[in-house]
């Protein structure tokens, strides 16, 4: 049995998010990493972690995960969740790559979370080194 996280602990999970592009008739999918705080536990039958956090559109949303999903679908760090989002994005692109733009390639809002603190020397960083984040 896994140890329960403390109440108020920040945890992270990966979710699908549908967004719209102007003048395009269908929604487009992306994977996002969301943060939520532990608010309690549901203990009837099996133990679930109850969390509350913002959804991709900015609304407060309750989430529940079985305790045994910690480390599989629910993570203590943003980086672990970003790795799962990267895997889900690659899997989706490999499956649906024939669809083409704007669905493929997918947006990658989780990509900056993969950079560890020591990956970039702040004194040498240039915004033009990262064209995907330019407006």
């Amino acid at each position: 049995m896994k140890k329960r996280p403390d109440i108020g602990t920040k945890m992270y999970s990966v979710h699908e998010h549908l967004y719209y592009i102007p003048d395009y008739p269908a929604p487009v999918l992306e994977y996002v990493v969301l943060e939520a705080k532990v608010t309690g536990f549901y203990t009837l039958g099996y133990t679930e972690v109850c969390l509350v956090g913002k959804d991709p559109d900015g609304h407060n949303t309750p989430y529940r995960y079985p305790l045994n999903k910690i480390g599989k679908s629910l993570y203590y760090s943003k980086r672990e969740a970003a790795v799962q989002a990267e895997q889900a994005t690659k899997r989706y692109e490999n499956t649906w790559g024939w669809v083409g733009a704007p669905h493929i390639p997918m947006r990658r809002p989780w990509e900056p979370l993969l950079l560890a603190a020591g990956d970039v020397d702040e004194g040498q960083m240039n915004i033009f080194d990262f064209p995907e984040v330019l407006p």
Side-chain angles (χ1 to χ4, degrees), residues 11-51:
M11 300 193 82
Y12 304 90
S13 57
V14 177
H15 298 268
E16 292 181 344
H17 176 234
L18 294 172
Y19 65 96
Y20 289 90
I21 298 172
D23 299 325
Y24 187 74
V28 181
L29 177 71
E30 69 179 345
Y31 290 97
V32 294
V33 174
L34 299 179
E35 177 183 300
K37 286 187 178 181
V38 176
T39 58
F41 300 94
Y42 178 79
T43 56
L44 296 176
Y46 61 93
T47 304
E48 289 183 339
V49 181
C50 300
L51 305 112

Side-chain angles (χ1 to χ4, degrees), residues 33 78-87 90 108-119:
V33 174
K78 293 178 187 178
R79 192 173 193 333
E80 289 177 304
V83 168
Q84 182 191 2
E86 178 182 33
Q87 292 169 351
K90 286 180 180 178
R108 290 167 161 71
W110 44 263
E111 214 165 39
L113 301 175
L114 289 177
L115 295 174
D119 286 350

Side-chain angles (χ1 to χ4, degrees), residues 31-118:
Y31 290 97
V32 294
V33 174
L34 299 179
E35 177 183 300
K37 286 187 178 181
V38 176
T39 58
F41 300 94
Y42 178 79
T43 56
L44 296 176
Y46 61 93
T47 304
E48 289 183 339
V49 181
C50 300
L51 305 112
V52 172
K54 301 278 185 191
D55 67 7
D57 298 320
H59 304 102
N60 280 333
T61 305
Y63 300 102
R64 280 188 175 179
Y65 289 91
L67 197 58
N68 65 359
K69 292 295 182 184
I70 295 176
K72 298 174 187 168
S73 301
L74 187 63
Y75 303 96
Y76 286 106
S77 75
K78 293 178 187 178
R79 192 173 193 333
E80 289 177 304
V83 168
Q84 182 191 2
E86 178 182 33
Q87 292 169 351
T89 299
K90 286 180 180 178
R91 187 171 42 251
Y92 185 89
E93 288 180 340
N94 286 336
T95 303
W96 294 99
W98 57 272
V99 174
H103 298 280
I104 306 296
M106 297 175 78
R107 286 199 315 196
R108 290 167 161 71
W110 44 263
E111 214 165 39
L113 301 175
L114 289 177
L115 295 174

